[in-house]
Amino acid sequence: VEEVLAELLGYGPLEELFNDPTVREVLVAGPHAVIVRREHATWVPTPVRFRDEEHLRAALDRLATHAGAPRRG
């Protein structure tokens, strides 16, 4: 249920990272490469994965829309 809600209302697989209070920064290097920096730590890989590039783009578009960032093609 949480995964479905994250897809519909949130940022897909990134939602779990955004809800983790120890995560300070998130770096998305591709659909199968999501890295985080946690409190007092260096960058570490996560098990977070997107189905494909289209799934990743949809989540990032929602993030940009909610953040008010300009969208580019």
Side-chain angles (χ1 to χ4, degrees):
V1 172
E2 288 180 23
E3 285 182 37
V4 172
L5 288 175
E7 288 295 329
L8 294 173
L9 304 173
Y11 307 110
L14 296 176
E15 192 75 24
E16 71 179 81
L17 299 175
F18 293 156
N19 290 328
D20 183 338
T22 67
V23 171
R24 294 295 173 241
E25 295 181 69
V26 177
L27 173 68
V28 179
H32 306 293
V34 179
I35 305 163
V36 297
R37 187 177 66 79
R38 297 185 186 277
E39 291 180 0
H40 312 293
T42 60
W43 292 94
V44 294
T46 70
V48 171
R49 302 287 181 266
F50 291 87
R51 287 186 303 273
D52 52 29
E53 198 150 323
E54 185 176 320
H55 185 213
L56 167 60
R57 187 170 303 277
L60 294 179
D61 282 348
R62 276 193 308 276
L63 181 63
T65 299
H66 293 155
R71 294 184 63 195
R72 296 183 183 191

